[in-house]
Amino acid sequence: QASLSIWGWGSLGIVLFLITFGPFVIFYLTFYILCFVGGGLVVTLLFGKTNSEKYLEQCEHSFLPPTSTGVPKCLEEMKREARTIKIDRRLTGANIIDEPLQQVIQFSLRDYVQYWYYTLSDDESFLLEIRQTLQNALVQFATRSKEIDWQPYFTTRIVDDFGTHLRVFRKAQQKITEKDDQVKGTAEDLVDTFFEVEVEMEKEVCRDLVCTSPKDEEGFLRDLCEVLLYLLLPPGDFQNKIMRYFVREILARGILLPLINQLSDPDYINQYVIWMIRDSNCNYEAFMNIIKLSDNIGELEAVRDKAAEELQYLRSLDTAGDDINTIKNQINSLLFVKKVCDSRIQRLQSGKEINTVKLAANFGKLCTVPLDSILVDNVALQFFMDYMQQTGGQAHLFFWMTVEGYRVTAQQQLEVLLSRQRDGKHQTNQTKGLLRAAAVGIYEQYLSEKASPRVTVDDYLVAKLADTLNHEDPTPEIFDDIQRKVYELMLRDERFYPSFRQNALYVRMLAELDMLKDPSFRGSDDGDGESFNGSPTGSINLSLDDLSNVSSDDSVQLHAYISDTGVCNDHGKTYALYAITVHRRNLNSEEMWKTYRRYSDFHDFHMRITEQFESLSSILKLPGKKTFNNMDRDFLEKRKKDLNAYLQLLLAPEMMKASPALAHYVYDFLENKAYSKGKGDFARKMDTFVNPLRNSMRNVSNAVKSLPDSLAEGMTKMSDNMGKMSERLGQDIKQSFFKVPPLIPKTDSDPEHRRVSAQLDDNVDDNIPLRVMLLLMDEVFDLKERNQWLRRNIKNLLQQLIRATYGDTINRKIVDHVDWMTSPEQVADSVKRFRDAFWPNGILAEAVPCRDKSIRMRTRVAGKTKLLAIMPDELKHIIGAETTRKGILRVFEMFQHNQLNRRMVYVFLEGFLETLFPQYKFRELFNKLHSRSKQMQKYKQKLQTTQAPSLQKR
């Protein structure tokens, strides 16, 4: 009962409470309680804060000493009057350089320092001190640069560094090839092998870490900049660590590193190459050669995709009239390019053979080059000489060449003798005695019983020659009978020319003469593919073996006539253009195409065939060259009639049957492509220089022509030359046979594992430009692997070119050019280009967006095409077309690796600093900075391993 009463009264109280105060009384009550508690906490906090401040103030006045009155006063004075720092804006002493250089300093401080410094302080003194420090360094740099002779650096050091870099790259490529001929090495393998070869050649330094590791590269640049600041800054400024570190970071990370990144970018180099030779037009033949030789699938796919894009655009055009023919030709050209790319990609992906020379050797059908053409062509003769040495018939070839040289020299000497006799100067006996000595020397070296090796000819001819030498005066034709027999022996004997045509050297010769078409574009090996070894317009472009078959096939008929004439204007020069319509018929098909030729093309073609086929010179007559007025249509019609008669006579069946080899030249002239002219006047003149034996003989006539007034002195000089003639001829032959390099002294180490400059012989009496060009030719075109006879040809040719062009002033011209490169105007121009590149319109350049891969690949193709197109035909005639292509493409491929480009930039930078500070041991410094190289450590371990057994034996 008690519990019930409690629950009852309690419930009644709650009900009455709710009825009295309402249903939300609980929330109000809770709110009131929280407010009471919160107010109590706020009052406590305020009371404690006030008491704490009073206590701290009492402590400060009680225990801390009073502040000095001088410090506030100094602060007030500094704020009242800002200290002005006067900066001398003179840097190099040339206003034309100082102005853009000051702008570079200003932009550098603004974009690399001010943007963060102003968030810390408004005081300008720190920025002014940094500017003054940079200017002091530049003043010291400019002063030291003026004291240096830059000629050795630009004429020797840079060439040596570039040539050595190219040699290391070439040897790295050879190493990759030797490891496995079937598996193509990757770019990473090439880079690793490159630095392996570098340490083998340099022996004391390897730059692999700096070129492959960004972290190590930044550390190297910091260390290098700190050393430069030590040399260029006053001691007080250098001891200021904060200032030194700021300037170091600006130079290393703000200027040098971005510059090196740009210079080592392959895409930038390719664009720069295209810009450098922007004036030369793209050559269609060079472009197709690049496509057919490319082993980069990315390049081929980029070109193919671009061709497909252009095809789609051309097919979408709505045209009529004359434009439709132009568009059709463009579409055919693009279809041809696309098909070549597809075929090349398919062959690369399938792993089939892509080497043109090997394919042609297996193909079996090659054009025929006559022996007389081989003997007068510099490049072809080199391969025939190598073959004759292999078969033991070199004596016959050397005898033929020596007699040719003797005939030329004897004719020149007799002409000089006659001219001097007409002038009243007599020296008949002496000159004929010298000629007799030369003739006897040839007889003793090749025909006498003591000769080794001896030329085998009929004994009665040798006896007749010996009797003539004993009883008669020598003449230029004294060896003609024996020389003719030797020529017939080389031509008919199966050991010599007939077997040479079946040898691999013959195929390589055709490749060097650019007479070897690529048979890889005939379709697939199983015969299902379509043959498209033709021109882009759908007309024929027969390979040389096809042409030889055509010439011997009576069922093939060729007819050509000039259907139209016109007048063209090119770069201000006006010339006539002839449209030739060509019909080709056989049993199953008929083809027709048009090609366009100038009169100069006709003239060059006529000169070429009359040189090869002497009998044609009396039959074929080309109308002479004449100037004409643009409106002189009568002249053009008459010239058209004369040239048509020339073509009809040339294509007569009787003419083709009489000279079967003529078909090759005719088809080459009538193909629907840009006519590739043969040797121009310059090249024909150079043929007299490229035979070293003729040059040896010509030295005698040069001595005669340069006779001084003192006849005794002149005859002494000429006698010395003539007395050494036979010996020099023998040395030429021995050097060609044993391949002894004429410019490289004998050493215990392999010259290929040394720097390029190590091969310069100080005893050779050549000026600097000739030696530099020889080194570059050796490295770019790898002439050391060729017959040394060819190297002497090039040396003689370069000597003639330099002396004929510049004479003895070449060194002075180089000095003048170096002075011009380092003149204030050129230096100012370089600074302005640097400023405009990094700060266009005074604004920091944004990071260059990475270009699309297809664009970069097409840029590579364009760069290679430009380089190949600018190579002069004279160079190809001297060293061979295939060697020229390989050399140019090797140099271009070397620039396609970022790490290798960085290495070359750092090598140039090191050489520059060594030249700028010759009194300091920068070489030792660089060796220490690169001492952490992994390749260097491996090389040292390898040396220790190889040297350990020899030490144990001792």
Side-chain angles (χ1 to χ4, degrees), residues 375-391:
L375 293 176
V376 298
D377 186 90
N378 177 50
V379 177
L381 182 57
Q382 179 248 324
F383 287 95
F384 187 58
M385 182 183 298
D386 286 345
Y387 176 78
M388 294 293 283
Q389 291 172 356
Q390 293 176 6
T391 58

CSV table of all heavy atoms in Angstrom, one decimal, residues 375-391:
chain,number,residue,atom,x,y,z
A,375,LEU,N,88.0,0.9,-114.6
A,375,LEU,CA,89.4,1.3,-114.5
A,375,LEU,C,89.5,2.9,-114.4
A,375,LEU,O,90.5,3.4,-114.0
A,375,LEU,CB,90.2,0.8,-115.7
A,375,LEU,CG,90.4,-0.7,-115.7
A,375,LEU,CD1,91.2,-1.1,-116.9
A,375,LEU,CD2,91.1,-1.2,-114.4
A,376,VAL,N,88.4,3.6,-114.9
A,376,VAL,CA,88.5,5.0,-114.9
A,376,VAL,C,87.6,5.6,-113.8
A,376,VAL,O,87.6,6.9,-113.7
A,376,VAL,CB,88.1,5.6,-116.3
A,376,VAL,CG1,89.0,5.1,-117.4
A,376,VAL,CG2,86.6,5.2,-116.6
A,377,ASP,N,86.9,4.8,-113.0
A,377,ASP,CA,86.1,5.3,-112.0
A,377,ASP,C,86.8,5.1,-110.6
A,377,ASP,O,87.3,4.0,-110.3
A,377,ASP,CB,84.7,4.6,-111.9
A,377,ASP,CG,83.8,5.2,-110.9
A,377,ASP,OD1,83.1,6.2,-111.3
A,377,ASP,OD2,83.8,4.8,-109.8
A,378,ASN,N,86.9,6.1,-109.8
A,378,ASN,CA,87.6,6.1,-108.6
A,378,ASN,C,87.1,5.0,-107.6
A,378,ASN,O,87.8,4.2,-107.0
A,378,ASN,CB,87.6,7.5,-108.0
A,378,ASN,CG,88.3,7.5,-106.6
A,378,ASN,OD1,89.4,7.1,-106.5
A,378,ASN,ND2,87.6,8.1,-105.6
A,379,VAL,N,85.8,5.0,-107.4
A,379,VAL,CA,85.2,4.1,-106.5
A,379,VAL,C,85.2,2.7,-107.0
A,379,VAL,O,85.5,1.8,-106.2
A,379,VAL,CB,83.7,4.6,-106.2
A,379,VAL,CG1,83.0,3.6,-105.2
A,379,VAL,CG2,83.7,6.0,-105.6
A,380,ALA,N,84.8,2.5,-108.2
A,380,ALA,CA,84.8,1.1,-108.7
A,380,ALA,C,86.2,0.5,-108.8
A,380,ALA,O,86.3,-0.7,-108.5
A,380,ALA,CB,84.2,1.1,-110.2
A,381,LEU,N,87.2,1.3,-109.1
A,381,LEU,CA,88.6,0.8,-109.1
A,381,LEU,C,89.0,0.3,-107.8
A,381,LEU,O,89.8,-0.7,-107.7
A,381,LEU,CB,89.5,1.9,-109.6
A,381,LEU,CG,91.0,1.5,-109.8
A,381,LEU,CD1,91.1,0.3,-110.7
A,381,LEU,CD2,91.8,2.7,-110.3
A,382,GLN,N,88.5,0.9,-106.7
A,382,GLN,CA,89.0,0.5,-105.4
A,382,GLN,C,88.5,-0.9,-105.1
A,382,GLN,O,89.2,-1.8,-104.5
A,382,GLN,CB,88.4,1.5,-104.3
A,382,GLN,CG,88.7,1.1,-102.9
A,382,GLN,CD,87.5,0.7,-102.1
A,382,GLN,OE1,86.4,1.2,-102.3
A,382,GLN,NE2,87.7,-0.3,-101.3
A,383,PHE,N,87.2,-1.3,-105.5
A,383,PHE,CA,86.7,-2.6,-105.2
A,383,PHE,C,87.4,-3.6,-106.1
A,383,PHE,O,87.7,-4.8,-105.7
A,383,PHE,CB,85.2,-2.7,-105.5
A,383,PHE,CG,84.4,-2.0,-104.4
A,383,PHE,CD1,84.0,-0.7,-104.5
A,383,PHE,CD2,84.1,-2.7,-103.2
A,383,PHE,CE1,83.3,0.0,-103.5
A,383,PHE,CE2,83.4,-2.0,-102.2
A,383,PHE,CZ,83.0,-0.7,-102.4
A,384,PHE,N,87.7,-3.3,-107.4
A,384,PHE,CA,88.4,-4.2,-108.3
A,384,PHE,C,89.8,-4.4,-107.8
A,384,PHE,O,90.3,-5.5,-107.9
A,384,PHE,CB,88.4,-3.6,-109.7
A,384,PHE,CG,88.9,-4.5,-110.7
A,384,PHE,CD1,88.4,-5.8,-110.9
A,384,PHE,CD2,90.0,-4.1,-111.5
A,384,PHE,CE1,88.8,-6.6,-111.9
A,384,PHE,CE2,90.5,-5.0,-112.5
A,384,PHE,CZ,89.9,-6.2,-112.7
A,385,MET,N,90.4,-3.4,-107.2
A,385,MET,CA,91.8,-3.5,-106.7
A,385,MET,C,91.8,-4.5,-105.5
A,385,MET,O,92.6,-5.4,-105.4
A,385,MET,CB,92.3,-2.2,-106.2
A,385,MET,CG,93.7,-2.2,-105.7
A,385,MET,SD,94.2,-0.6,-105.1
A,385,MET,CE,94.1,0.4,-106.6
A,386,ASP,N,90.8,-4.4,-104.6
A,386,ASP,CA,90.7,-5.4,-103.5
A,386,ASP,C,90.5,-6.8,-104.0
A,386,ASP,O,91.1,-7.7,-103.5
A,386,ASP,CB,89.5,-5.0,-102.6
A,386,ASP,CG,89.8,-3.8,-101.8
A,386,ASP,OD1,91.0,-3.4,-101.7
A,386,ASP,OD2,88.8,-3.2,-101.2
A,387,TYR,N,89.7,-7.0,-105.1
A,387,TYR,CA,89.5,-8.3,-105.6
A,387,TYR,C,90.8,-8.8,-106.3
A,387,TYR,O,91.1,-10.0,-106.1
A,387,TYR,CB,88.4,-8.3,-106.6
A,387,TYR,CG,88.2,-9.6,-107.3
A,387,TYR,CD1,87.5,-10.7,-106.6
A,387,TYR,CD2,88.7,-9.9,-108.6
A,387,TYR,CE1,87.3,-11.9,-107.2
A,387,TYR,CE2,88.5,-11.1,-109.2
A,387,TYR,CZ,87.8,-12.1,-108.5
A,387,TYR,OH,87.7,-13.4,-109.1
A,388,MET,N,91.5,-8.0,-107.0
A,388,MET,CA,92.7,-8.5,-107.6
A,388,MET,C,93.8,-8.8,-106.6
A,388,MET,O,94.6,-9.7,-106.8
A,388,MET,CB,93.2,-7.4,-108.6
A,388,MET,CG,92.3,-7.1,-109.8
A,388,MET,SD,92.2,-8.4,-110.9
A,388,MET,CE,93.8,-8.3,-111.8
A,389,GLN,N,93.8,-8.2,-105.5
A,389,GLN,CA,94.7,-8.5,-104.4
A,389,GLN,C,94.3,-9.9,-103.8
A,389,GLN,O,95.2,-10.7,-103.5
A,389,GLN,CB,94.7,-7.5,-103.3
A,389,GLN,CG,95.3,-6.1,-103.8
A,389,GLN,CD,95.1,-5.0,-102.8
A,389,GLN,OE1,94.5,-5.2,-101.8
A,389,GLN,NE2,95.7,-3.9,-103.0
A,390,GLN,N,93.1,-10.2,-103.7
A,390,GLN,CA,92.6,-11.5,-103.2
A,390,GLN,C,93.0,-12.6,-104.1
A,390,GLN,O,93.4,-13.7,-103.7
A,390,GLN,CB,91.1,-11.5,-103.0
A,390,GLN,CG,90.6,-10.6,-101.9
A,390,GLN,CD,89.1,-10.5,-101.8
A,390,GLN,OE1,88.4,-11.3,-102.4
A,390,GLN,NE2,88.6,-9.7,-100.9
A,391,THR,N,93.0,-12.4,-105.4
A,391,THR,CA,93.3,-13.4,-106.4
A,391,THR,C,94.7,-13.5,-106.8
A,391,THR,O,95.1,-14.3,-107.6
A,391,THR,CB,92.4,-13.2,-107.7
A,391,THR,OG1,92.6,-11.9,-108.2
A,391,THR,CG2,90.9,-13.3,-107.3
